[in-house]
Amino acid sequence: MHTAELPNKTQQRTHCLFPFANYPVVGKEQQIEPDFEAEYIIMSAPIELVPISARERIQALDVLRGFALFGILLVNIEGIVGPFSGSISGTDLNLSGPSLWTDAATYIFAQGKFYTIFSLLFGMGFAVILSRARAAGRTFGGLYMRRLLALAAMGLAHALLLRAGDILLVYAAFGLLLLPFRNTPQSRLPIYGLLLYVVPVALVLLLGGLCALLMQNPAMAEEMGKSLAQEQEAIQASIVAQRQAYGSGTYADAVRQAVPDMGIMWGYMAFVGWQILGLFLLGAWFIRSGAIARPESYPRLYNMLQWVALPVGTVMMLVSFWLLPTNDLARMDMEVALATALNLVGSLLMSLGYMAWVIRGLESAAWAPKLQMLAPAGRMALTNYLLQSLVCALIFNNYGLGLYEQLSRAWQVPFVILFFALQVALSKWWMNRFHFGPMEWLWRAFTYLKLPKLQKKEEVTLISPVITGE
């Protein structure tokens, strides 16, 4: 047991195995708001800033990463098997039978939910690595910038060489915007995060109302109709181009097509970028408050997320689906705006609810062993994320097995379940022999400017960093 002084806070602390594991021990007369500033590991010697070990990790994060990794593939598979532009328009009403039901269920319960969880996890990683840098007495900026630069390089290569719908480059870009918030008080993080998240909600409602007013003018209505029709034609043209490049073209054709496809994805960033940054801040709050490391200390929060946020979010998604099952680019009115706003808010509530059920499941003797099976995949989620794109490209694109648009929507779900089960098994085998996944090892090496030991020489379980970082 040691005592130490932090700025404006002097108190005795209990030893903890990872940051944020215990609140400070204070006297009755002293009340301190729990925050990461007061949750450092107290040691008699300076902390060396090195890759984090298993003893210092919040293992629930790895399970959440594995869970989110499955959901990401479940959503992405439609835009891998077929045209990417056709996978972002909601439910395809041209489908029928099991394929239609599968598409609708995926849209309601998965689309927009798992990227939200991944974004929360990235913010959690930011908070953890920031706390470790401060506890070690090291500057944070250089290390974090190297981390983002490596992530951006991997994301750019992934987008150009394998799949344009990449999220790594997006996270690297918006991760820069987290730096101004590194000294933000813990209590303000969820406020700022939610305010940023609802910016697109307010914008879409404002746009819907404005368009509804303009449509009262015949001349303006005609102009708007032409503009929306041109946008719809552009999307249809991109679908045709993607079919030619990925369904019948060479690898060089696929790489060339990746450039305009990236442009389509980044075109949405002016809208969803606010949400991504807001989710980063919400994720940072979950770490700094201790809500992830000590869920038992936040029963009201998790009860609200499980029993209120998830049901309310699901109802909002169902109403959104009822109003607008598919995105009609030829329309922009209050009904479209309301459906979109309900989708955005409902997706956040459902994502938080999913996360709460997973974390609470880890406290259950019945569910914990089952959920912990996801941890090895989560420990090497960066490798698994890239591996999903590589293997699927070789299966479905013309330069591989050429099964583009050959797997029906209904059969895509069994494919994802089987593929991810193989990833879980492979991840367990790998993590029993190595400290990190291969891409995680490269990422650590660039971040810390040293080559971490890869192969295990003794039976010690280490948890490697992933897309979200530490």
Side-chain angles (χ1 to χ4, degrees), residues 44-328:
S44 57
I47 299 172
E48 183 184 4
L49 189 56
V50 295
I52 198 166
S53 71
R55 293 189 304 273
E56 297 172 298
R57 288 296 296 273
I58 304 170
Q59 296 192 31
L61 295 182
D62 292 309
V63 174
L64 282 171
R65 288 165 183 146
F67 174 69
L69 188 68
F70 168 74
I72 288 289
L73 181 58
L74 185 64
V75 173
N76 284 349
I77 191 65
E78 183 183 9
I80 296 174
V81 171
F84 166 72
S85 295
S87 68
I88 56 178
S89 60
T91 305
D92 185 354
L93 299 181
N94 294 316
L95 299 173
S96 61
S99 289
L100 177 60
W101 285 102
T102 299
D103 200 42
T106 303
Y107 176 64
I108 294 169
F109 297 104
Q111 194 169 64
K113 287 46 172 199
F114 291 95
Y115 106 84
T116 298
I117 296 175
F118 254 55
S119 299
L120 290 167
L121 286 165
F122 188 94
M124 294 179 198
F126 170 82
V128 173
I129 196 172
L130 174 61
S131 72
R132 284 176 54 78
R134 286 179 167 173
R138 295 279 298 275
T139 57
F140 174 70
L143 179 144
Y144 186 63
M145 290 300 294
R146 290 195 301 273
R147 190 175 188 81
L148 292 184
L149 182 61
L151 191 64
M154 288 185 283
L156 183 61
H158 175 231
L160 291 175
L161 302 179
L162 289 176
R163 183 173 178 273
D166 166 78
I167 198 64
L168 304 180
L169 187 58
V170 173
Y171 282 177
F174 285 95
L176 286 172
L177 301 180
L178 274 175
L179 284 173
F181 295 94
R182 62 186 181 274
N183 295 319
T184 300
Q186 170 205 311
S187 59
R188 295 182 187 175
L189 288 174
I191 299 173
Y192 296 161
L194 291 173
L195 286 175
L196 286 167
Y197 189 90
V198 300
V199 167
V201 178
L203 288 176
V204 74
L205 291 173
L206 181 63
L207 182 60
L210 180 61
C211 288
L213 289 175
L214 293 176
M215 291 295 283
Q216 303 301 316
N217 184 310
M220 292 298 298
E222 183 179 357
E223 285 299 318
M224 284 182 55
K226 289 179 180 179
S227 177
L228 291 171
Q230 289 174 355
E231 185 176 348
Q232 190 172 37
E233 290 173 2
I235 292 295
Q236 292 301 318
S238 70
I239 290 176
V240 171
Q242 288 161 8
R243 281 181 172 142
Q244 292 175 343
Y246 305 125
S248 58
T250 64
Y251 178 70
D253 294 328
V255 172
R256 281 191 291 269
Q257 181 60 37
V259 176
D261 288 351
M262 285 180 63
I264 293 173
M265 180 168 177
W266 278 88
Y268 290 101
M269 287 304 111
F271 183 77
V272 302
W274 300 88
Q275 292 181 310
I276 292 174
L277 180 57
L279 292 169
F280 287 173
L281 295 178
L282 284 176
W285 177 85
F286 271 95
I287 288 295
R288 289 179 54 174
S289 67
I292 290 292
R294 296 185 307 275
E296 70 281 357
S297 300
Y298 293 82
R300 291 182 61 188
L301 171 66
Y302 283 97
N303 284 335
M304 287 288 291
L305 295 180
Q306 286 178 284
W307 301 110
V308 179
L310 182 56
V312 171
T314 302
V315 170
M316 295 177 79
M317 276 300 306
L318 290 171
V319 174
S320 173
F321 178 79
W322 176 70
L323 291 172
L324 192 72
T326 188
N327 295 329
D328 184 357

